[in-house]
Amino acid sequence: MLLEGFGTLLWLLNLAMLVLAVIALFLSATAREDAYRAADKQTKKFWLIILGVTVAVNLFVPMLFLQIAGLVATIVFMVDVRPAVHAISGGGGGRPGGGSSSDGPYGPYNGGR
């Protein structure tokens, strides 16, 4: 029974790594090429290859070491590259026009100072 639970846990971890890699691959594919260069990151082609290999490894090669290496690459993309590329592409803080919540129609509001 314990062994079955451990197998289920490993299967769920594998599924989570696959889902995260697919999401990262999609986000990498939908970002603009020039944003990678402007953010001083590796090229879009580089990240598409790395994340594509990660998805393939998670799907077809059940070797935990390779899956963990792919997970590290996915985490680096999600934590470092994607926010930088997203900021360059005009995605500032979740607001449609970018900027901060204290920005007015003509720039930042400073309270009359």
Side-chain angles (χ1 to χ4, degrees):
M1 180 153 161
L2 183 63
L3 195 56
E4 289 176 13
F6 186 68
T8 302
L9 178 66
L10 283 179
W11 183 82
L12 287 174
L13 285 173
N14 188 21
L15 182 64
M17 287 189 294
L18 175 63
V19 168
L20 188 62
V22 168
I23 290 170
L25 181 63
F26 174 77
L27 292 173
S28 175
T30 58
R32 294 186 349 226
E33 170 68 35
D34 61 333
Y36 286 88
R37 285 176 285 163
D40 199 27
K41 302 296 178 187
Q42 292 287 338
T43 64
K44 180 176 182 173
K45 184 178 179 180
F46 172 84
W47 284 107
L48 287 174
I49 290 170
I50 293 294
L51 296 171
V53 168
T54 299
V55 169
V57 163
N58 282 326
L59 282 173
F60 303 117
V61 183
M63 292 181 63
L64 190 59
F65 176 77
L66 293 176
Q67 290 174 329
I68 291 174
L71 179 63
V72 169
T74 302
I75 290 172
V76 166
F77 176 81
M78 295 295 279
V79 172
D80 181 41
V81 177
R82 183 181 179 273
V85 168
H86 189 65
I88 297 292
S89 297
R95 294 193 50 196
S100 74
S101 62
S102 65
D103 282 357
Y106 305 108
Y109 178 71
N110 61 8
R113 290 180 256 163

